[in-house]
Amino acid sequence: MTNIERKENQIMEEIKNRVRTILTDGSLDYKQKKHHLAYIAESTQSYPEVSAEAMTALNEKVICDLFEGSAPYRPRYILPDYKLALKKGVKYLELDPPTDLDEAINFLSILYAHVPSITGYSVYLGNIDQLLLPFTGDLSEEAITKKLKLFWRYIDRTLPDAFVHANIGPEDNVIARTILRIERELKQVVPNLTLKYDTDITSDDLLIEAAQTVFEVAKPHIANHKMTAADFKSDYGVVSCYNSLPQGGGSHTLIRLNLKKITDSHQGNAEAFISETLPKYCQITLDIIEARIKYLVETVNYFQNDFLAQEGIISLENFSAMFGFYGLAECVNQLMASSGHNYCYGKHEEANQLAHRILEEMKKQVDSRPLPYCEANNGKAFFHAQSGIDIDIEETAGARIPIGEEPDIYAHINTVAPHHHLFNGGISDIFHFDETIKRNPSAILDIIKGAFKKGMRMFTFNLSDSEFIRITGYLVRRSDLKDFREEGSRYGSALFAANSMDNADVDKRIAKRIDSHERTAGQY
Amino acid sequence: MSELQANISGIIKSSVIDGPGNRMVIFFQACNLNCLYCHNSHTIGLCNLCGLCVQNCPTQSLKIDASNKQIIHNASTCTHCDNCLKNCPENSSPFYKKMTVEHLISEIEEVKDFISGITVSGGEVMLQSEFLKQLFISIKTHPELNHLSILVDSNGNIDENRWNQVLDWVDGFMLDIKAYSSDVHKKITGHTNEKILNSIRYLDSKNKLSELRLVLVPGYNNSKEEIETISGFMQSLSPEVRKVLIKLRKHGIREKYHYLSEPTQLDIAQAVEILESDKHKLLVI
Ligand code: SF4
Ligand code: SF4
């Protein structure tokens, strides 16, 4: 045997072992196994061509591709233009335009099953109330409720992943209200939900309904509609883990930079960090993004072959990529400590100022780097504060204040609000309240309105003692976590949550966290 | 006028339990009742600079400032042991501060975008009604604060002329009925209640009574007759007044009153049975 043959044999053996581990893992169901097997097959391909330095950064998790795999054959986030599909029908699936609510729900149910994503489940279900309203005709509220309930059950049982995300609002309407009611009743993890809120459009009543729903199931998440809409050429959706992206398009990829790790290896002061280390790693991250986009568009030819693109339900012009980061808090605190100051992000103005400068610099780097096939954002990537996943043991999600160190609600908002405008790709913060607020939901309205007035883009809130736990970006049920530890769960996201609960100080704030198949695939 | 000062025992910038919405609550020092179950007994009295707390502070965090007639508190060494509060012979505290209207307004300005309004509480706030009037006028004529609602949490033991001082500027008053019979009232608070009953009727007649609360104290105000008379009184008020039954909680009350007992489920159920009617819903907390 030559050396090369020996090496190939060795690789083959490794693959066989990995496959076997999955096949015999009793906590995975059939579909989950299939998904992981595909990930292994993909990993046999060499990574899109990037520099040796970039490859090292990836291997050392200084830069993280969130288990997208080494050979991107579908965009990470796809937001089909469901409105257009409902209007034109879908030839590939032999679906005619629906004429009533039953047909519309059936149409969407079928289409969802065919939308590619990293997790295998569509990350976006559409602005569901706007999609279905035209079909309500003279149906009674009771009839609508019955149909939507079945629809919601279908979604939870066939797309069992907490990255699956539906939007409602900003208008108050019967579908939006019914969905909130159903959410409170069914208490499902899926779908994740965002209410687009606009002070001038959304009624206080609907916002109160939403707040009461949050008390029960820790969703919806509230998005500042005016602010977000202004960042997009046409409609947008909030998908997956609070990513805001263009409808009829999406994001080819999301690559995130670990700010803590680049601070660990940084020699020198904060000034040198901002002028040298940070720009250097931003550019490497952008190099990786570029290589992955080219692979997807030019090598795989995704946009020529997929039916969604062929039928105009998505189009390449509506795509861009996402530049993400995490661990801002650790980065700032370490830079402060190395300059001899005991200032902490979220607590001291000096640290908050430094955080702001770091974010501004990253934004500048992202905005000045042209990327191919990113027309949706004029040839640039969307800037995103990534909410974190289960393997982030030492790093705080995106630009959040570390769990357990959050200051009072006003100081919290005043710390994070000034940078929310930078994140056209989305950001989220989590506020915590105790149970007494349930008796006084209008208090939540005051805080939501105040937060948006201060320039916040998106946020959500957690109640102590809730059955639903929201940790980074997703939801999980406390009981599912327990069950998962014992015998596995129907939800891919429960594994992520179990890992997260173990890794982060999550219990400190009695909040919630979740995983997706991205993670589970990555570990085999 | 702006030289007026009030004794402020504390400010909570976000409260969800002191009226509708998110509210800033300002607590005033000094009270003219002395309830057995007071949870903030250190807000009852005014400090006479006796110096006892200064001597007894285990961390030497207190100092008498004789020229300014106040006590200086060093927050960085204080361990929050509450020795000072527990042993003050005046039911007072070394922590309350004199504040001007301007000072309070600037505190409100900081949080104005996040609140529905302010609630003043105590102690008995109406003892400082002249100050309140100035504060309320400053809020309601302030271009950025005039949307805020003003709620007053009072024990009601106040003369009519004091209500009239602030009536026009207040959105609602929240009062307690601690007992209907004067005897029982005296046992619970140390004072009779004619003035309080008059205040409740008066504020209701002006459509300014937003909430009436009853704290249920077993062995004092939970006899059938007492609850029935309270119920009759409650039913005579407008249905719009929110009626609340509060269970006595022993947490935080003075040690010498620890013999009081919390009401049982049955005590509560019996009281609710009598107090609630179709027109008058009762919230139990
Ligand atoms: S707070 Fe009480 S103990 Fe301290 S000086 Fe004043 S009256 Fe005396
Ligand atoms: S609470 Fe603070 S000031 Fe009061 S006695 Fe204890 S240490 Fe001293």
Side-chain angles (χ1 to χ4, degrees), chain A residues 378-399:
Chain A
N378 306 311
K380 311 290 159 54
F382 290 115
F383 189 33
H384 175 60
Q386 207 272 332
S387 320
I389 59 170
D390 61 333
I391 52 165
D392 306 341
I393 300 170
E394 295 179 314
E395 300 87 0
T396 301

Side-chain angles (χ1 to χ4, degrees), chain A residues 28-45:
Chain A
L28 298 174
D29 68 17
Y30 159 72
K31 262 196 119 173
Q32 289 165 340
K33 285 180 183 177
K34 220 168 80 168
H35 180 79
H36 300 335
L37 292 173
Y39 182 84
I40 291 178
E42 190 187 339
S43 71
T44 60
Q45 301 298 300

